[in-house]
Amino acid sequence: MAASEALAHPRYRLIGSVDTAGNAHLAVYADGDEPVEVVEENLRKDSDSGPLKLDFRVWDLEKSALQPLFHLDTGARNLTEVRKLIKDNSGVTLYRDGFRVQPFGEPGFDWLGFDQRRVNNPTMRLSNNQVAGFVYISADDNPGLQDRSHREGLIDSPEYEELKTVILQAITRLEIQRYKLRRPEPIVQPGAGLLTGPPGGRGHGVFQSFSLEPLRQVATERYPNDVVLGRAIEEATETINEGVRKVQEIIAQFSRLATLGTLVDVVLHDGRTALARMAFDLRQLGKITKKVEELDAELSAALVDLRTDFTAQERAIDRLFTRIEPLSGRQRGRPRELSLHQSISEAVSVLESEITRHRVDVTVGGEDVTVTAEPGDIRTLVLNLVSNAVYWLSTTPGGTERAVLIETERTREGGADAVDITVSDSGPGVREEIRELIFDTYFSDKPDGIGLGLSIAGSVVKDFYDGDLWLVSPGPLAGASFRARLRRRVG
């Protein structure tokens, strides 16, 4: 088979370079010869892995997407062979001064972690078997990228990690353009008015009975000249299609979240049982340390250090469990009166280690409003918004201001009381071209993002407090600003 013919006709392509300073000059192509996006920005963070050139070619593996390749001179006899041709030539190969570095590009060597990213977010991420990537470096310009002693792969170093990070940041831009192209839209079957979901699928079978086609046929036979009736049926069909589309989106989202909730329940139950045992063992270690002190002061000091370290790790795991608890499938607690400032501060404390590591200054201000709410709801909202802010602030150059401002305010809307919670940051902000996508379930601009944070936060605000979550522009700070408005239980 002529693999070169298939490789020469990818559906998507990312090509360009990143210079020594980390400045990217990339072009993203999708279904055409003209770039759909030109990326000119800095992708480097801390380490200097050196300059590189990129050429990534990507295919969708569904039947409809592969059909055009079947007509090329690939030697393939059917679409199954076309698909196999792509998979057999997939992977990301690394070249140094024109020579291939082993084992980069070998089948199964997924050094960029594409497959794990896809497991975490199958809606948006690429798998390793649909990508043929080529990365070019040189020995002189990339001295931090050193071979292992047996010349199989590169030594794990800050420069190697930085190389992978830069590449994933670049490939994320291609994934975003691919997501836009494949973004689910209502599809109406000819003459049936039946919405079926994303291209290539027939949606949830339960919805296939939602069709006005029988009524349309009767109306056409009995009242062929009744324009008003025909228009009314068309409008009713559009309304039903739109309603079914929204229900399908909700089902797709929460069927995944239900499974996730069950898994989180198991992790929390078993994990906290282990933590309780760990806490008991640490107390016992403390008692033993005191007894040992009289016999061996040096050993006792070592045990004290060990106990201190284990205690810190235990607390870190406990904070992690607290952070994921809002995703559990447990029943919600009973709403109660609480101080918003106190609840927000408790949520922020869960992120203390990340906030400190990235040198972010978090301020809680505005009116300390008392609301009737389930504490976990406020924690879910704040954790998702603040963790997003901290991540994007971590991508800014060292030495720049890294600030998050959380403000609460009681307001009036339509003669009724409401409460606003606004989270702003001084980071890079939300790019204009993705603003309409950020609330989509599973959409993420982060290289390893799952894309559930804003969706979960928005669902909590809407479902339990009759509220809304939206992007504020401009906001109190120069970066991204999100405002949640709570309309229920705010008295």
Side-chain angles (χ1 to χ4, degrees):
M1 296 185 192
S4 59
E5 273 299 302
L7 294 178
H9 294 85
R11 188 176 189 189
Y12 317 93
R13 191 174 184 183
L14 170 72
I15 188 168
S17 62
V18 181
D19 65 21
T20 304
N23 299 310
H25 310 278
L26 305 169
V28 182
Y29 297 83
D31 269 357
D33 296 327
E34 294 296 323
V36 293
E37 182 183 17
V38 175
V39 180
E40 300 278 352
E41 64 181 58
N42 193 284
L43 302 181
R44 192 92 60 201
K45 291 170 71 173
D46 298 315
S47 302
D48 180 10
S49 56
L52 62 143
K53 293 182 179 180
L54 303 171
D55 185 356
F56 278 78
R57 305 172 189 205
V58 175
W59 296 262
D60 292 322
L61 300 180
E62 297 93 343
K63 177 180 177 180
S64 58
L66 293 178
Q67 195 73 45
L69 293 179
F70 182 59
H71 301 292
L72 299 176
D73 185 20
T74 62
R77 293 169 296 179
N78 50 51
L79 291 178
T80 299
E81 291 191 357
V82 173
R83 187 179 291 110
K84 184 177 185 300
L85 185 62
I86 291 172
K87 291 182 176 181
D88 288 347
N89 289 276
S90 65
V92 180
T93 308
L94 181 67
Y95 290 92
R96 182 194 287 116
D97 297 320
F99 294 95
R100 179 180 167 188
V101 181
Q102 294 289 350
F104 296 92
E106 291 291 328
F109 187 60
D110 183 18
W111 60 287
L112 291 171
F114 280 147
D115 289 342
Q116 184 57 55
R117 292 169 81 247
R118 185 169 174 82
V119 167
N120 293 335
N121 187 347
T123 299
M124 185 173 175
R125 302 305 179 197
L126 298 166
S127 61
N128 195 55
N129 66 8
Q130 64 186 118
V131 177
F134 307 91
V135 180
Y136 303 93
I137 61 173
S138 73
D140 292 338
D141 294 336
N142 307 87
L145 301 175
Q146 297 288 328
D147 289 329
R148 293 180 181 271
S149 57
H150 49 68
R151 294 191 175 276
E152 284 289 321
L154 299 180
I155 295 173
D156 290 328
S157 64
E159 291 80 7
Y160 181 44
E161 292 303 315
E162 182 74 7
L163 173 70
K164 292 190 287 186
T165 298
V166 168
I167 294 173
L168 288 176
Q169 283 183 291
I171 204 69
T172 298
R173 303 303 282 266
L174 183 150
E175 288 173 325
I176 289 173
Q177 295 300 331
R178 174 176 176 265
Y179 175 85
K180 287 182 177 180
L181 194 65
R182 294 162 54 88
R183 194 181 186 196
E185 295 290 346
I187 294 182
V188 180
Q189 294 289 354
L194 172 64
L195 179 137
T196 61
R202 290 198 53 81
H204 297 279
V206 69
F207 295 110
Q208 294 187 13
S209 60
F210 285 81
S211 172
L212 296 184
E213 182 59 19
L215 177 60
R216 185 202 305 275
Q217 292 177 354
V218 173
T220 301
E221 291 173 2
R222 296 193 178 185
Y223 308 100
N225 299 319
D226 195 327
V227 178
V228 175
L229 177 59
R231 186 180 299 118
I233 293 175
E234 291 293 336
E235 292 176 356
T237 298
E238 291 179 7
T239 300
I240 288 177
N241 285 340
E242 177 64 17
V244 170
R245 183 185 67 81
K246 291 180 178 178
V247 172
Q248 284 179 311
E249 289 178 353
I250 293 171
I251 288 176
Q253 173 185 350
F254 287 100
S255 61
R256 292 286 300 273
L257 292 182
T259 303
L260 176 63
T262 301
L263 177 61
V264 171
D265 278 344
V266 172
V267 171
L268 291 176
H269 178 271
D270 294 352
R272 284 198 161 130
T273 299
L275 278 182
R277 178 65 188 182
M278 188 184 298
F280 174 78
D281 290 342
L282 287 171
R283 288 193 296 271
Q284 294 300 108
L285 180 60
K287 294 177 182 178
I288 294 172
T289 302
K290 289 182 179 179
K291 294 180 179 179
V292 171
E293 186 175 10
E294 300 175 1
L295 303 174
D296 190 331
E298 186 176 348
L299 176 59
S300 176
L303 289 174
V304 168
D305 291 342
L306 184 64
R307 181 171 182 268
T308 300
D309 183 57
F310 272 111
T311 300
Q313 298 305 316
E314 178 217 1
R315 290 173 179 171
I317 295 172
D318 186 61
R319 286 196 298 269
L320 174 63
F321 286 166
T322 302
R323 183 176 176 183
I324 67 173
E325 192 170 21
L327 298 177
S328 74
R330 64 175 178 80
Q331 290 187 340
R332 299 172 65 252
R334 178 174 297 179
R336 57 181 174 84
E337 281 195 359
L338 50 83
S339 156
L340 267 188
H341 279 196
Q342 180 179 343
S343 298
I344 290 170
S345 296
E346 290 172 354
V348 170
S349 69
V350 175
L351 300 172
E352 181 181 357
S353 60
E354 293 179 49
I355 290 171
T356 301
R357 183 168 71 254
H358 298 300
R359 302 180 300 280
V360 177
D361 180 25
V362 180
T363 303
V364 181
E367 178 187 358
D368 186 8
V369 181
T370 298
V371 298
T372 302
E374 210 275 353
D377 295 341
I378 304 301
R379 186 166 59 242
T380 298
L381 173 64
V382 174
L383 279 175
N384 280 299
L385 296 181
V386 174
S387 61
N388 272 350
V390 171
Y391 170 82
W392 288 112
L393 286 168
S394 75
T395 67
T396 60
T400 59
E401 179 191 26
R402 293 178 175 180
V404 174
L405 174 62
I406 308 171
E407 293 184 306
T408 58
E409 178 185 15
R410 189 178 295 279
T411 186
R412 298 280 293 178
E413 182 186 64
D417 283 338
V419 170
D420 287 346
I421 303 174
T422 305
V423 178
S424 305
D425 66 66
S426 59
V430 181
R431 292 182 288 114
E432 184 69 34
E433 59 267 29
I434 66 169
R435 290 190 174 188
E436 67 175 41
L437 307 175
I438 58 175
F439 291 100
D440 283 10
T441 305
Y442 306 122
F443 175 83
S444 178
D445 196 21
K446 301 176 185 176
D448 291 310
I450 297 175
L452 289 177
L454 288 177
S455 180
I456 291 172
S459 295
V460 168
V461 172
K462 181 66 176 178
D463 295 344
F464 302 132
Y465 301 94
D466 190 27
D468 290 301
L469 176 65
W470 70 94
L471 182 67
V472 180
S473 182
L477 297 182
S481 294
F482 291 89
R483 179 166 296 154
R485 176 160 294 174
L486 314 181
R487 299 188 179 91
R488 188 187 301 157
R489 299 172 180 159
V490 296

